[in-house]
């Protein structure tokens, strides 16, 4: 095999491995419900 083909295969393997690592890291944060008091004076303007 030529050197350029080996380098191309190595780059593809590194990219695929990186995609798997990034896919495994995705963790969604749980939503938190926040209630806030809104004075009626702010609603009239």
């Amino acid at each position: 095999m030529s050197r350029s083909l080996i380098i191309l295969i190595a780059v593809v393997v590194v990219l695929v491995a990186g995609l798997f690592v990034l896919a495994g890291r995705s963790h969604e944060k749980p939503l938190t419900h926040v209630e806030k008091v809104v004075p009626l004076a702010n609603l009239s303007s």
Side-chain angles (χ1 to χ4, degrees), residues 6-42:
I6 293 173
I7 292 173
L8 178 65
I9 291 172
V11 168
V12 169
V13 168
V14 168
L15 286 176
V16 170
L19 288 175
F20 276 107
V21 168
L22 289 176
R25 289 184 53 198
S26 63
H27 298 288
E28 294 183 10
K29 295 182 180 179
L31 295 175
T32 56
H33 187 71
V34 178
E35 292 187 14
K36 190 174 182 181
V37 177
V38 178
L40 292 177
N42 289 346

